[in-house]
Amino acid sequence: MAIINNNYRKLSAGYLFPEIARRAKTYQDAHPGSMLHKLGIGNTTEPLPESILAGLHEKVDRLGKADTYTGYGDEQGDTPLREALAAYYKDMGIDISPDEFFVSDGAKADAANIQSLFDENNVVAIQDPAYPVYVDSNVVSGRTGRFDKNQGKYGGFVYLAGTEENGFFPTPPEGKVDLIYLCSPNNPTGAVATHEQLQAFVDYARNHKAVIIFDAAYAEYISDDSLPKSIFAIPGARECAIEINSFSKFAGFTGVRLGWTIVPKQLSAEDSKPGELHAMWFRRQVTFFNGASNIAQAGGLAVLSKQGLAQSRAIIQYYMENARIIREGLQSAGLTVYGGDNAPYVWVKTPQGMNSWEFFDQLLNQCQVIVTPGSGFGSAGEHYIRVSAFGHRDNIQAAVQSIQNNLVFSKE
Ligand code: PL4
């Protein structure tokens, strides 16, 4: 008799993004021929630049010849790619050895799977609001109690709320926690932690033998040089942090699929020696993962070339100009907005105390604009919506104009 993992039954409603797609489809079925401006999912839209395409094409051609064909690659990822990643960090003044990188097929799976390194009884602290995978992966792994619908929270988690008062980046918890999920630049608020804010978490983690899981998927969107792009820019982080990152938003690889995770050799937990967690993740990856596509890895190598970096960064600038248009346009429509200056997300307060889904529906029905309701990222996201800056410029401009022209609310 097979018995299911009952923790799946604890998961709150359906996954956020399919629910948005469902509501958009319902609207379009009811309004055939209507055009929706989609600023919901953070999905890249601009074509890959020439130097990166060349890297991808070259690898495809090599696969077509007997003398250059390759099958399974190095277990942690192709060595030249891990060396190029080490050089990329070196340029930021951060020393990471190539064998501390684990190349992945994107950040999401590693963000979900990394918790498997830790005992089920670890107490987990989560930034609230947060990208849902951190919460859901720990729910199905049995680290929480039931979901309390009134509070919008799971029993057992320690929620670190990002609010207007703390600039949407929380301080470390008061009591002892064991695993801490941080994301900076933050999805969904667009807030970016300062060196001092991250140092406080690193100090906390070292004092409590906790481990920080740091999602830096939007690091390349930071243009303010005073802000850290990696947790490893913080002294002491190599002892207490894992970093997860991705080529998705960095280089338009949302469909190509490529990322990396850094598990430093110095990292340890309360009951482990330095090196053990690194060895365990290696063991996990060689057992349960067969590596990222070799074509994608060749593309990643091209991204990290001088030309690839310059061309990718030009596209990031394009999205950040979109973010500026959204931020300023929504402000001029009378809305209160945050983020969008070092991150591709604008975090917008709902007017008149509306809840997130109500405002989502209003924007859909009055303006034909799709956003993401903040409450889908956690209870502290209630009364906010997230607007994504990924999109073609004309669509972004049309969406902002539609909000300016059609959104009706009283600006008391
Ligand atoms: C929609 C903080 C987007 N269906 O592409 P990956 O796997 O390398 O990166 C996923 C990821 C990792 N970390 C953070 C992210 O925000 C994301 C991507 N998030 C969004 O709109 O919030 C895409 C979401 C996708 C999903 O469910 O992930």
Side-chain angles (χ1 to χ4, degrees), residues 367-406:
C367 314
Q368 292 71 55
V369 174
I370 301 276
V371 296
T372 306
S375 56
F377 297 98
S379 63
E382 184 53 283
H383 303 297
Y384 289 89
I385 52 134
R386 185 196 79 175
V387 186
S388 162
F390 294 104
H392 299 312
R393 181 68 43 77
D394 52 354
N395 183 44
I396 299 285
Q397 282 165 334
V400 169
Q401 201 151 58
S402 179
I403 293 174
Q404 288 174 328
N405 295 344
N406 303 316

Side-chain angles (χ1 to χ4, degrees), residues 15 17 42 106-108 131 187 215 218 246 248-249 257 386:
Y15 188 57
F17 295 106
K108 187 177 184 177
Y131 181 46
N187 175 15
D215 187 336
Y218 302 96
S246 171
S248 281
K249 311 298 161 60
R257 309 302 306 146
R386 185 196 79 175

Side-chain angles (χ1 to χ4, degrees), residues 333-336 349-354 408-412:
L335 294 162
T336 305
K349 200 169 176 175
T350 65
Q352 299 168 301
M354 246 182 271
V408 180
F409 66 94
S410 79
K411 299 165 193 168
E412 78 290 348

Side-chain angles (χ1 to χ4, degrees), residues 15-18 40-44 104-111 130-134 182-188 215-218 244-249 253-255 257-260 345 372 377 386 388 390:
Y15 188 57
L16 174 64
F17 295 106
I41 297 181
N43 201 358
T44 48
S104 68
D105 58 1
K108 187 177 184 177
D110 278 8
Y131 181 46
V133 67
Y134 321 137
L182 296 177
C183 174
S184 176
N186 186 261
N187 175 15
D215 187 336
Y218 302 96
I244 295 172
N245 212 320
S246 171
F247 286 92
S248 281
K249 311 298 161 60
F253 274 30
T254 41
R257 309 302 306 146
L258 192 68
W260 70 91
Y345 296 123
T372 306
F377 297 98
R386 185 196 79 175
S388 162
F390 294 104

